[in-house]
Amino acid sequence: MAMQRVSGVRLNEINVPRLFLYHRALTALRDAGVNVVTSEALAEFCANDVTPTQIRKDLSQLGTWGRRGHGYEVSGLLEMLARLLGLDQDWRIAIVGFGYLGHALATFLSYREERFRIAALFDRAPDVVGQRWKDLTVRHVDDLEGALREQGGVDIAVLAVPAKAAQDVADRVVAAGVGAILNFVPVALHLPRRVFARNIDLAGELSILTHHLTGPE
Amino acid sequence: MAMQRVSGVRLNEINVPRLFLYHRALTALRDAGVNVVTSEALAEFCANDVTPTQIRKDLSQLGTWGRRGHGYEVSGLLEMLARLLGLDQDWRIAIVGFGYLGHALATFLSYREERFRIAALFDRAPDVVGQRWKDLTVRHVDDLEGALREQGGVDIAVLAVPAKAAQDVADRVVAAGVGAILNFVPVALHLPRRVFARNIDLAGELSILTHHLTGPE
């Protein structure tokens, strides 16, 4: 496998989820003891959500070519993708809003994704503030700035608060130095340019399904 | 406002989330008593996640033009978007996996989105099966087929089960006639062509953020 350094590559956003798919599939393959994989086998492992051609195209854009009739070296490819995706380092995450959704996210991330470390939890409800979760205590959202300072700051804030609180919380985590936001609140946030956000819009996702179910055929 | 019938329009998938954003913004505007809105005001209401130019382009593709210096009629636009998104009718949803995430989704949808009706809940854990949630009882996932038949079927299944159970559950909801799946399980599902699925990949979303935080500038 030929491979060049890819630092400096800035992928357009559309491809990143696909690279993450490859990263996840390759991790599973590596853990299963596979050393080399063809684009066909990798596509099959991604449940054919991508074609072998797409995989070869994506990877060649990153300066990586499989050897014909041989395939890609799993560990090298994994290392490159991890570096590109920022998954070769730990990230500190604050979850603001520790209801069912916040709890689900914390549990999910702590079990599955070792690079994402839950560093702080916030809520406003009296029966939630003070709860223990693993080695953390849920803090009152009014103490957000102080608590984040104590923790040495976080990289990413996950917002799972009621809609009316979302912009205020966003402003405060941004002021506290957070660089990226994963927003589950169905509210369009006004954010400074330096802060990168992803919105996960559950009803919006469902509307994509219902649009297709309604489709004119 | 000029408006043509848009039945028969099949939007490419990339635009649907944006149309849903407009739909949500217009719903809020209508509820606030606004009858007419310019593309500039609508963009502002979407927190400038879209530009006025993009809005005008999207809407003109649907055969809708605002009147210069006047804007779009809110109720007509809302009606058209609702029809296109399938939000002018009710949809029956089964949630499979009623842990924190399943619970969060049920709560969220039932409070916010009246068109999405939670029709059935499933889990496998003995302490969850039999729980009441609103007027539903959580059923054992082993009874999925029978329970869905009793309920008269559902349109959409939301999967929030452990990874190792995901494909089996997907096969079974598909066999039971579900036409669309919202999949929160980080597993690539093998599905027949007629079934449309959206995957919400939490770790994948975070990796988009970490890719940007890592970025080479």
Side-chain angles (χ1 to χ4, degrees), chain B:
Chain B
M1 182 169 65
M3 187 185 292
Q4 297 164 231
R5 293 284 303 178
V6 290
S7 58
V9 172
R10 180 61 133 201
L11 303 163
N12 70 51
E13 202 176 304
I14 292 167
N15 283 327
V16 176
R18 215 154 57 214
L19 297 186
F20 184 77
L21 267 192
Y22 305 159
H23 182 273
R24 174 175 284 144
L26 289 162
T27 302
L29 287 164
R30 180 201 59 194
D31 293 350
V34 175
N35 295 320
V36 173
V37 67
T38 62
S39 53
E40 288 77 13
L42 187 54
E44 170 68 25
F45 211 83
C46 297
N48 299 312
D49 286 345
V50 286
T51 63
T53 307
Q54 183 70 62
I55 291 174
R56 287 193 298 270
K57 197 173 153 193
D58 286 339
L59 297 181
S60 73
Q61 274 190 332
L62 302 177
T64 302
W65 290 269
R67 252 173 50 208
R68 185 172 290 277
H70 179 74
Y72 298 91
E73 189 216 324
V74 171
S75 67
L77 194 48
L78 205 42
E79 198 184 306
M80 182 199 66
L81 290 172
R83 198 167 58 237
L84 204 55
L85 293 168
L87 300 177
D88 57 345
Q89 54 186 293
D90 288 349
W91 298 94
R92 295 166 57 78
I93 297 179
I95 296 180
V96 191
F98 202 56
Y100 285 117
L101 181 57
H103 219 119
L105 296 167
T107 305
F108 175 82
L109 290 176
S110 66
Y111 279 110
R112 291 198 51 102
E113 306 294 337
E114 56 184 25
R115 288 311 196 177
F116 302 125
R117 308 211 170 262
I118 310 297
L121 302 169
F122 296 97
D123 206 286
R124 179 175 291 288
D127 56 328
V128 178
V129 174
Q131 266 184 24
R132 296 286 294 172
W133 183 85
K134 305 209 171 213
D135 55 348
L136 297 174
T137 301
V138 181
R139 302 289 298 265
H140 197 290
V141 75
D142 285 349
D143 304 330
L144 189 135
E145 291 79 0
L148 289 185
R149 225 177 296 122
E150 281 169 34
Q151 303 279 346
V154 295
D155 305 297
I156 299 171
V158 176
L159 303 196
V161 298
K164 65 180 189 306
Q167 184 65 52
D168 177 56
V169 167
D171 292 343
R172 290 172 60 198
V173 295
V174 166
V178 158
I181 290 177
L182 188 59
N183 177 34
F184 284 88
V185 191
V187 160
L189 298 174
H190 291 268
L191 295 171
R193 272 182 173 279
R194 70 165 179 85
V195 177
F196 189 73
R198 291 283 294 178
N199 300 299
I200 299 187
D201 187 332
L202 300 173
E205 292 289 333
L206 283 172
S207 78
I208 296 172
L209 298 180
T210 56
H211 165 66
H212 277 263
L213 290 174
T214 311
E217 57 286 296

Side-chain angles (χ1 to χ4, degrees), chain A residues 154-176:
Chain A
V154 295
D155 305 296
I156 299 171
V158 176
L159 303 197
V161 298
K164 64 182 188 307
Q167 184 64 53
D168 178 56
V169 167
D171 292 343
R172 290 172 60 198
V173 295
V174 166

Side-chain angles (χ1 to χ4, degrees), chain A residues 133-186:
Chain A
W133 183 86
K134 306 210 171 214
D135 55 347
L136 297 174
T137 301
V138 181
R139 303 287 300 265
H140 197 290
V141 75
D142 284 351
D143 303 331
L144 189 136
E145 291 78 2
L148 289 184
R149 226 178 295 122
E150 281 168 32
Q151 303 279 347
V154 295
D155 305 296
I156 299 171
V158 176
L159 303 197
V161 298
K164 64 182 188 307
Q167 184 64 53
D168 178 56
V169 167
D171 292 343
R172 290 172 60 198
V173 295
V174 166
V178 158
I181 290 177
L182 187 60
N183 176 34
F184 284 88
V185 191

Side-chain angles (χ1 to χ4, degrees), chain A residues 37-48:
Chain A
V37 67
T38 62
S39 53
E40 287 77 13
L42 188 54
E44 170 68 24
F45 211 84
C46 296
N48 299 312

